[in-house]
Amino acid sequence: MASDELIQERDGEYRHGKAVMVRGVRMPHVYAYLTGFAEFIENFTTKNDDVFIVGFPRSGTTWLQEVIWQIFNDGEISRHPIGHRVQFFDEAKFPHTTQPDITTRASPRLMKTHQPFHAIPKGTSENSRCKYIYVARNPFNVVVSYYNFDLKMAPVTDYDGPFEYFADMFIKGTTYWGSWTEHVLGWWKHKDDDNVLFLKYEDMKKDLPSQIRLICKFLGKNITEDMVDRIAQQCTFDAMKNNSSAYWMMTRDGELPNFLRKGQIGGWKDYFTPELIQRFEKEVLGKLDGSGLQFDLGR
Ligand code: A3P
């Protein structure tokens, strides 16, 4: 069908995996090509206790998955992989998935997705009004993190070019899941909806306990201050790096992935020329002007 059309095999000079456009969203073809993801998402029925953890790739979604799973599970540290505990919605029709079927999963269903606001399933009645927790991260760190991920995490993405070229694709919105600015602005417009919580990676990094309290308030969960501290400590970068069930396993050679790479605000400058910084300021950050959305760039 047209929505599963293969749109990209190479991006100009360099390989960047294959992409398909599914309901207006540019996705890796292994997730969606000929597997009916378009129909799946169109027919997906939300429930009022569903929680979608949402973000553009490399914005801190895995971190948020672990935090939220622990909130729901009294601070337990699980040995089960995060992808089984909080399923990746966008992989629901992945041909070789080892995940259980999301549709029949017991409630409350915690799901992670990179879908933009316009494409995500929405409830239409009181019984299907699910919640969305969105995390946004400054685009300089996102693009550096995404580049390193795409470079190393074949076969899903399989990018083989230099950073400058990847940054150009990011600016044009041709990396998977499309334009970063459209993604964050699409969700930012709904930040005051009563079923949307909009968080920033940088706030989580600076003060995780306060963000855990915000999440609990939004979810209507009462947890003690001791539990807030415990979850914050168990979800630091180092703690999660030492717990392989807290991140994703998918690598070129089967070795442990760089999924948790540096986990910092800033540290992107080594990758940027002064010209690229100017371009990013104008063509990426500039598009946020007037929206009120701002980021700590760590510089
Ligand atoms: P870096 O590549 O900059 O290290 P996502 O899960 O949305 O793909 O985001 C991945 C990014 O979040 C990676 O960024 C990863 O290291 C970072 N991250 C994951 N867990 C983290 C944590 N506990 N603290 C800080 N950053 C974390």
Side-chain angles (χ1 to χ4, degrees), residues 22-246:
V22 183
R23 302 168 74 248
V25 183
R26 179 181 295 258
M27 291 179 66
H29 95 296
V30 287
Y31 290 179
Y33 191 43
L34 297 179
T35 59
F37 186 70
E39 290 88 342
F40 169 79
I41 194 166
E42 261 152 38
N43 296 326
F44 188 82
T45 310
T46 54
K47 300 180 185 174
N48 60 1
D49 54 3
D50 283 344
V51 180
F52 281 101
I53 294 160
V54 197
F56 192 83
R58 310 310 289 165
S59 302
T61 47
T62 312
W63 188 7
L64 201 50
Q65 280 172 271
E66 186 60 36
V67 167
I68 292 174
W69 191 85
Q70 290 196 17
I71 289 173
F72 272 84
N73 291 278
D74 298 324
E76 183 188 332
I77 300 179
S78 174
R79 278 180 292 130
H80 296 292
I82 187 68
H84 287 200
R85 292 180 278 133
V86 181
Q87 279 181 251
F88 189 15
F89 185 77
D90 303 6
E91 257 188 17
K93 299 303 283 180
F94 189 36
H96 310 296
T97 188
T98 54
Q99 298 186 24
D101 181 356
I102 288 185
T103 51
T104 56
R105 196 179 173 106
S107 293
R109 296 182 297 184
L110 306 180
M111 296 168 279
K112 164 228 183 93
T113 177
H114 296 312
Q115 294 297 314
F117 186 85
H118 70 80
I120 203 156
K122 294 179 192 72
T124 47
S125 69
E126 275 306 300
N127 294 335
S128 61
R129 217 171 136 65
C130 57
K131 290 192 159 85
Y132 309 100
I133 305 187
Y134 187 83
V135 59
R137 184 183 192 188
N138 88 60
F140 290 85
N141 276 122
V142 169
V143 73
V144 168
S145 178
Y146 206 171
Y147 164 70
N148 279 289
F149 178 76
D150 266 22
L151 203 62
K152 299 195 174 101
M153 303 299 264
V156 173
T157 52
D158 207 18
Y159 180 63
D160 67 349
F163 177 71
E164 293 67 36
Y165 200 89
F166 190 84
D168 184 60
M169 290 197 311
F170 183 89
I171 292 169
K172 291 184 193 140
T174 60
T175 54
Y176 296 136
W177 285 282
S179 154
W180 177 86
T181 37
E182 283 172 23
H183 207 283
V184 291
L185 284 176
W187 280 95
W188 178 247
K189 280 192 197 118
H190 291 273
K191 71 178 186 335
D192 297 324
D193 292 5
D194 59 6
N195 62 341
V196 174
L197 178 66
F198 192 101
L199 302 174
K200 289 186 197 156
Y201 177 96
E202 293 76 18
D203 294 337
M204 288 173 65
K205 189 79 194 168
K206 285 181 221 161
D207 184 357
L208 189 52
S210 77
Q211 301 304 297
I212 293 175
R213 283 183 213 107
L214 272 183
I215 295 167
C216 289
K217 188 165 175 228
F218 174 71
L219 294 172
K221 294 240 165 239
N222 277 321
I223 66 169
T224 62
E225 270 305 296
D226 281 353
M227 186 58 80
V228 170
D229 288 342
R230 178 170 151 190
I231 294 174
Q233 280 164 23
Q234 291 175 172
C235 293
T236 61
F237 182 80
D238 289 342
M240 278 181 56
K241 188 125 183 145
N242 287 329
N243 170 14
S244 61
S245 71

Side-chain angles (χ1 to χ4, degrees), residues 241-267:
K241 188 125 183 145
N242 287 329
N243 170 14
S244 61
S245 71
Y247 51 89
W248 302 77
M249 311 284 253
M250 41 193 275
T251 49
R252 213 185 279 261
D253 306 314
E255 86 257 23
L256 280 183
N258 250 354
F259 206 94
L260 271 77
R261 195 184 54 93
K262 297 226 153 142
Q264 289 173 358
I265 311 170

